[in-house]
Amino acid sequence: MGSIFLQVAILVFVYMTVWYSVSLVLKRSDVADLAWGLGFICISLFLYLNNPQNPTIKIVSLLVFFWGSRLSWDIFDRLINSSEDYRYLQLRQQWGKWFYIRSFFQVYLLQGIFMFLISLGIIYASQSTANSLSLQIISGLVIWYIGFALEYVADTQLKDFINMPQNKGRLMTEGLWKFSRHPNYFGEVTQWWGIFILVANQQSLISLISPITITILILFVSGIPMLEKKYADRPDWQDYKNRTSAFVPWWPKIDK
C-alpha cells in the first residue's frame, strides 16, 4: 500500500511542476485553477490503469472524470476570455521580485499537497476489495450525484446571469443562490463526501482526510473567505449576506 502513496505523490509533484512551467511560458499563474480538476482526473486514471480489474476504482474514476472535466471546461472557458485572475495579480504585487519562486512553492506545490490529501479517497478506492454493488456504494453514489447536480446547476445559473449585460455589477441572488451564498461550493464538498462514503471501511478510515481537507479549504481558506472578502465593502452584499445561508442551502431570512 505504501508504494502506491509514493507513486501518487511523485505523480502529483511532476504534474504540478509541469503546470508551473506552463505558467511561466504563458505569464499567468491562474492556470493553476485549470490544473486542479485535471489533476484529479490524471490521478484517478493512473490508479485505474494500475488496477483495471478493480470495480470500485472504475466507478470512482468515472465520478472524478465527470466532476473534473466539467469544472476544467468552465475554468478553461473563463481563462481564454479574460486576463489573469485578480487573486494572482494581487500575489504578483505582494510578492514582487520573489513572485515566481514563491508561486512555485506557495501556489503549485501547496496545491499539489492538497490534491494528494483529497485524492486519498481515490487511492483507497483503487485498493478496495468490494466486487459488487452494496447499499454503502449506492449511498455514496446518490450523495455524489446530489453534489454534482447542485454544483452544475449553481454554476450554470451563475454563468447565465453574468452573461446578461443588464446584470453587470449586480449580485446573483436567484435560483440556488437564493438559498446559499455558495451553492456550487456546497455541491463540490458533497461530492467528495459521497466518494468517501463509497470507499470507506475500517481499513480506509484515513481517507476521511479527503473530504475533511476540501471542506476546510472551502469554508476557511481559499474558498468562501477569499471570495467574500472581495465583496465585503458592498452594501448590497451585506444585505444578501444577512439574509442568506453561507454554505448549506436553506430558506433565506425574511425581513420583519
Side-chain angles (χ1 to χ4, degrees):
M1 186 70 180
S3 63
I4 198 67
F5 283 110
L6 179 59
Q7 290 174 44
V8 173
I10 293 173
L11 173 65
V12 170
F13 176 81
V14 173
Y15 176 81
M16 295 311 299
T17 301
V18 169
W19 275 101
Y20 171 71
S21 302
V22 172
S23 77
L24 297 181
V25 174
L26 298 180
K27 294 183 171 58
R28 54 183 302 170
S29 286
D30 56 355
V31 294
D33 295 343
L34 182 58
W36 182 250
L38 293 176
F40 289 101
I41 292 176
C42 288
I43 292 170
S44 62
L45 178 61
F46 168 78
L47 291 169
Y48 166 71
L49 293 175
N50 190 61
N51 191 6
Q53 303 306 316
N54 185 316
T56 306
I57 190 58
K58 289 180 181 179
I59 295 173
V60 172
S61 294
L62 282 174
L63 301 185
V64 172
F65 174 79
F66 286 131
W67 165 78
S69 57
R70 191 206 66 81
L71 177 66
S72 299
W73 175 254
D74 281 354
I75 292 174
F76 176 75
D77 184 58
R78 186 193 74 203
L79 291 180
I80 63 174
N81 291 296
S82 64
S83 56
E84 188 174 37
D85 188 275
Y86 74 96
R87 295 167 296 160
Y88 298 95
L89 290 175
Q90 289 178 348
L91 292 179
R92 287 183 185 276
Q93 294 175 351
Q94 294 173 11
W95 294 346
K97 65 180 182 180
W98 297 104
F99 173 77
Y100 289 108
I101 294 177
R102 292 185 65 173
S103 67
F104 177 67
F105 291 98
Q106 292 179 244
V107 175
Y108 289 88
L109 286 193
L110 182 59
Q111 181 169 295
I113 292 172
F114 290 135
M115 186 181 293
F116 176 80
L117 293 175
I118 296 170
S119 293
L120 288 174
I122 310 174
I123 294 173
Y124 275 98
S126 72
Q127 305 301 307
S128 172
T129 56
N131 54 18
S132 62
L133 284 177
S134 64
L135 180 60
Q136 176 186 340
I137 291 176
I138 293 173
S139 298
L141 285 170
V142 170
I143 291 172
W144 179 91
Y145 178 77
I146 291 172
F148 181 82
L150 284 171
E151 186 176 30
Y152 173 76
V153 172
D155 282 344
T156 300
Q157 290 176 342
L158 180 61
K159 187 176 181 179
D160 291 343
F161 178 84
I162 292 174
N163 287 337
M164 294 182 182
Q166 64 268 32
N167 292 329
K168 185 175 182 181
R170 294 178 57 207
L171 291 174
M172 172 55 163
T173 61
E174 300 299 327
L176 289 177
W177 302 81
K178 179 179 180 179
F179 303 98
S180 169
R181 302 200 299 273
H182 305 279
N184 53 344
Y185 284 158
F186 178 77
E188 179 160 345
V189 166
T190 300
Q191 288 172 81
W192 287 106
W193 281 101
I195 289 177
F196 165 72
I197 291 172
L198 194 154
V199 305
N201 57 48
Q202 290 183 345
Q203 286 73 44
S204 65
L205 286 181
I206 193 173
S207 63
L208 184 60
I209 293 173
S210 170
I212 288 177
T213 299
I214 190 65
T215 303
I216 291 174
L217 282 177
I218 284 181
L219 287 179
F220 305 111
V221 185
S222 61
I224 292 176
M226 187 174 292
L227 186 58
E228 296 205 344
K229 182 179 179 181
K230 181 182 178 182
Y231 298 100
D233 297 330
R234 292 181 51 162
D236 56 345
W237 170 259
Q238 292 303 323
D239 178 63
Y240 176 57
K241 182 177 181 179
N242 291 334
R243 289 186 290 107
T244 312
S245 169
F247 186 59
V248 180
W250 195 249
W251 297 106
K253 296 178 182 177
I254 299 176
D255 295 332
K256 297 182 179 180

